[in-house]
Amino acid sequence: MAGTREHLSRPRIVELALDIIDTKGLPALNMRRLAASAGVKPMSLYHHYPNKEAILGAVAESIAAAALGDPHAFGPWQERTRLLFVGLYELVQAHPRALPLITTGVLRTPSGRRWMEELMDVLLEAGFTPDAAARVYHLLGAFTLGLGYAQLLSLEVPAETIVGELTGHWADYPNLLRVGLQLAIWDQPADFATGLDVLLARFAEELDGAG
Amino acid sequence: MAGTREHLSRPRIVELALDIIDTKGLPALNMRRLAASAGVKPMSLYHHYPNKEAILGAVAESIAAAALGDPHAFGPWQERTRLLFVGLYELVQAHPRALPLITTGVLRTPSGRRWMEELMDVLLEAGFTPDAAARVYHLLGAFTLGLGYAQLLSLEVPAETIVGELTGHWADYPNLLRVGLQLAIWDQPADFATGLDVLLARFAEELDGAG
DNA sequence: AAGTAAGGCGTACAAAGTACGGTAACAGAC
DNA sequence: GTCTGTTACCGTACTTTGTACGCCTTACTT
């Protein structure tokens, strides 16, 4: 190990990359900007990660690790499942602009896989068949991540832009006019819990019916 | 209007672009490839659209137009809402790789806005407040598009890739092993209807409670 | 036949990922 | 203290992709 001059390291790169993603968006993360933010030239990054994809993977893992709050919550399976998805949702809240990384990371990072492993543990133990467990994940996951995409969209395309594109057309869209900005903005985390519970209750019924 | 030599036109460009997206994916759509598929040089495209973004917008509109099946279905509001979201879901089924365009197109293309206008018409007429109507859209939309993203993911990252990355780690993930490929694949359109109905029923309750 | 506008194109530049080989600085051996 | 090898960093340059600018050809009009 050579100089310890306070410089680059894998965790440092990930930290800076995540900061760029959070503040400027995923497309704004490029090797030159990342290097500059580290006070280094672009090619130096390649001594720590083989390519950009590897850096994105490391960011995904770093984010996903935060979803593993308490490894094992107690209570009935509904509650444990609920907590797992609340964790996922909090991830999205914390780093909405990194959502595409979270999406792929669920099955492709160690922490993501551990999250999924625990979910499957809960569901199989509750009595779901493997296929049913996969369905639960897909539906709840789609709902959770779908809300994340709504949030991301309202971040990247501000409501004013949408409204601006509509000026002069309001006559064609009287009901859009009545509903207004709320359509282009998603910021009702409470509704996430509602939807999650409704879907969970449905799966509980299914399980009882079959068991 | 000059020559009618069978060549480029705006609809033709959109058609070819959509074909590339459907067969090779959104990232594979670039101006050079698109031009080549039209038997033309890249810069020729710029005589029909000002830039790539405009082409993507036109593709989004072209796709969205297909969601406007019967402009006005009959029946109670639940049924009409259901049909609108089924239409959206069919769009995703038809062109999963264009999903990011659909997502943004819902409020940014004429056809998308008409779809949204009709949805708001149905909901407001049913008695939802504007805010509640926006919530219905956000939750159902998140669910619908979220499933689309799951499908897109299983298209772009084949299950074998996921499994390949897990070889040697199966001991760490016994439950993932039991559930197997189904986790990485989404192909259960029937479940979409289930989830949709469950969420709709919940909103119906809410409406009755308030009205 | 000549003018004119529309459609197509050649060239060239900027942004971004990264291959390749060089260099600097520090560790340990002697 | 000098030598040597390893580690971290970097300069240069090639590739891909979007697109600005201006030329050229075509085909219809008169």
Side-chain angles (χ1 to χ4, degrees), chain A residues 89 92-93 96 99 142-153 186, chain B residues 142:
Chain A
Y89 186 67
V92 175
Q93 295 286 309
L99 183 55
F143 178 70
T144 306
L145 297 177
L147 278 180
Y149 278 103
Q151 186 171 352
L152 177 57
L153 193 65
W186 164 253

Side-chain angles (χ1 to χ4, degrees), chain B residues 70-120:
Chain B
D70 301 293
H72 290 278
F74 298 106
W77 70 267
Q78 287 102 316
E79 185 54 21
R80 295 177 69 193
T81 303
R82 221 181 69 87
L83 281 176
L84 281 167
F85 278 95
V86 167
L88 183 60
Y89 186 67
E90 279 166 1
L91 221 65
V92 175
Q93 295 285 310
H95 303 285
R97 309 234 225 199
L99 184 54
L101 299 182
I102 297 172
T103 306
T104 51
V106 168
L107 272 170
R108 306 189 73 184
T109 64
S111 294
R113 288 192 286 247
R114 270 197 296 279
W115 180 90
M116 184 73 87
E117 170 68 13
E118 186 170 339
L119 176 61
M120 290 302 123

Side-chain angles (χ1 to χ4, degrees), chain A residues 174-186:
Chain A
N175 293 297
L176 293 196
L177 182 60
R178 283 184 62 198
V179 176
L181 291 184
Q182 284 313 114
L183 275 181
I185 300 174
W186 164 253

Side-chain angles (χ1 to χ4, degrees), chain B residues 134-159:
Chain B
R135 282 179 50 229
V136 172
Y137 160 65
H138 276 125
L139 292 200
L140 295 186
F143 178 70
T144 306
L145 297 176
L147 278 181
Y149 278 102
Q151 187 171 352
L152 178 56
L153 194 64
S154 71
L155 242 173
E156 305 292 4
V157 185

Side-chain angles (χ1 to χ4, degrees), chain A residues 120 124 127-136, chain B residues 175 178-180 182-183:
Chain A
M120 289 303 122
L124 293 176
F128 284 96
T129 65
D131 272 14
R135 283 179 50 229
V136 172
Chain B
N175 292 297
R178 281 184 63 198
V179 176
Q182 281 314 114
L183 275 180

Side-chain angles (χ1 to χ4, degrees), chain A residues 6 28 62 80 107 113 124 130 153-154 159 166 191-192 207:
Chain A
E6 205 77 41
S62 151
R80 295 177 69 193
L107 272 171
R113 287 192 287 246
L124 293 176
L153 193 65
S154 71
L166 279 166
D191 290 341
F192 164 68
L207 190 63

Side-chain angles (χ1 to χ4, degrees), chain A residues 82-107:
Chain A
R82 220 180 69 88
L83 281 177
L84 281 167
F85 279 95
V86 167
L88 183 60
Y89 186 67
E90 278 166 1
L91 221 67
V92 175
Q93 295 286 309
H95 304 285
R97 310 234 225 199
L99 183 55
L101 300 182
I102 298 172
T103 306
T104 50
V106 168
L107 272 171

